[in-house]
Amino acid sequence: ETGVTQTPRHLVMGMTNKKSLKCEQHLGHNAMYWYKQSAKKPLELMFVYNFKEQTENNSVPSRFSPECPNSSHLFLHLHTLQPEDSALYLCASSQDWGDEQFFGPGTRLTVL
Amino acid sequence: GENVEQHPSTLSVQEGDSAVIKCTYSDSASNYFPWYKQELGKRPQLIIDIRSNVGEKKDQRIAVTLNKTAKHFSLHITETQPEDSAVYFCAAREGQGFSFIFGKGTRLLVKP
């Protein structure tokens, strides 16, 4: 598969659950990003990884924990989330940080 | 940090008319300004971008203009078609960081 893929596409979880979102890019890019998209709010950058090193963490609560084992894979580990964390979580990648970003299809997360 | 304002939040035009969406930014060091189109249920996709050393860029029916002095940039769509209906996001790359700051989006509706 080409481009940026994300799994799962939809996720419903309780506040006590632990789950992980996965992103994979097949573009040979060096930078990967996690964004949160909520209704009526701008896209919010959560984390940036450049060459597997985290370069940006925009004051994201510790209940969100990113992991980047290599430049093609990015995970977002979730635990003890709140209902207000329900949103579309988008992964993106770019050749280098700050370049044109290619987005994945997103994971629609609902926290009950 | 950077702040991006986008207007209008909704825009309705008749097929064949032009549509203009405007964004302002606050960080004078910002140097890259992409525009994304997001159709319902789909991922954001880059449609055009402009760098700070250029004042205008055009790609068929889409153009972007940048006024660095006034710190604003605009998306122009001519001869609109129903398939142009989507949410459009502007973004600005921070001059001294890895982050993109997005506008809140404009919902464009092109009526046949």
Side-chain angles (χ1 to χ4, degrees):
Chain A
E1 190 166 355
T2 59
V4 182
T5 59
Q6 288 185 244
T7 55
R9 295 293 308 277
H10 299 272
L11 178 62
V12 179
M13 59 187 288
M15 289 190 284
T16 58
N17 292 156
K18 285 186 181 182
K19 297 286 183 184
S20 295
L21 309 185
K22 179 183 176 183
C23 175
E24 185 173 0
Q25 58 96 0
H26 310 266
L27 301 168
H29 288 168
N30 298 315
M32 298 186 78
Y33 311 76
W34 276 118
Y35 285 91
K36 177 183 178 183
Q37 187 174 35
S38 306
K40 301 190 190 299
K41 293 177 78 172
L43 276 163
E44 300 171 68
L45 180 66
M46 301 174 72
F47 302 104
V48 180
Y49 278 83
N50 193 44
F51 288 100
K52 301 186 296 177
E53 299 294 324
Q54 187 180 130
T55 54
E56 195 85 6
N57 175 340
N58 279 356
S59 304
V60 180
S62 60
R63 56 186 185 270
F64 294 92
S65 174
E67 179 190 359
C68 189
N70 55 62
S71 57
S72 299
H73 294 85
L74 185 64
F75 294 90
L76 188 62
H77 304 298
L78 317 170
H79 65 99
T80 59
L81 295 192
Q82 305 297 312
E84 58 265 29
D85 296 323
S86 299
L88 181 69
Y89 288 85
L90 288 159
C91 172
S93 71
S94 63
Q95 182 61 51
D96 289 301
W97 66 265
D99 284 345
E100 172 190 349
Q101 296 179 37
F102 293 81
F103 284 86
T107 295
R108 174 69 62 187
L109 174 67
T110 302
V111 182
L112 302 175
Chain B
E2 176 67 280
N3 183 47
V4 175
E5 299 284 337
Q6 183 173 347
H7 298 281
S9 57
T10 58
L11 179 60
S12 182
V13 300
Q14 208 64 40
E15 182 178 0
D17 289 349
S18 295
V20 180
I21 303 170
K22 298 181 180 181
C23 287
T24 60
Y25 61 97
S26 59
D27 182 0
S28 56
S30 291
N31 52 24
Y32 175 60
F33 307 91
W35 284 90
Y36 288 86
K37 175 183 180 183
Q38 188 174 26
E39 297 178 52
L40 188 63
K42 296 190 176 179
R43 72 191 77 188
Q45 291 198 297
L46 181 77
I47 54 171
I48 196 167
D49 55 12
I50 191 166
R51 299 185 187 272
S52 58
N53 58 347
V54 175
E56 183 174 358
K57 185 176 177 180
K58 196 171 181 180
D59 182 3
Q60 298 182 347
R61 296 186 296 110
I62 295 173
V64 58
T65 58
L66 171 65
N67 183 326
K68 285 194 298 181
T69 304
K71 289 190 280 188
H72 67 71
F73 55 112
S74 300
L75 178 71
H76 304 255
I77 306 175
T78 58
E79 300 171 34
T80 54
Q81 300 166 5
E83 50 265 38
D84 294 329
S85 297
V87 178
Y88 292 80
F89 294 94
C90 65
R93 183 176 67 192
E94 290 186 324
Q96 301 296 330
F98 300 88
S99 289
F100 282 88
I101 308 301
F102 282 78
K104 288 189 176 181
T106 296
R107 185 172 299 279
L108 173 65
L109 175 63
V110 180
K111 295 181 283 187

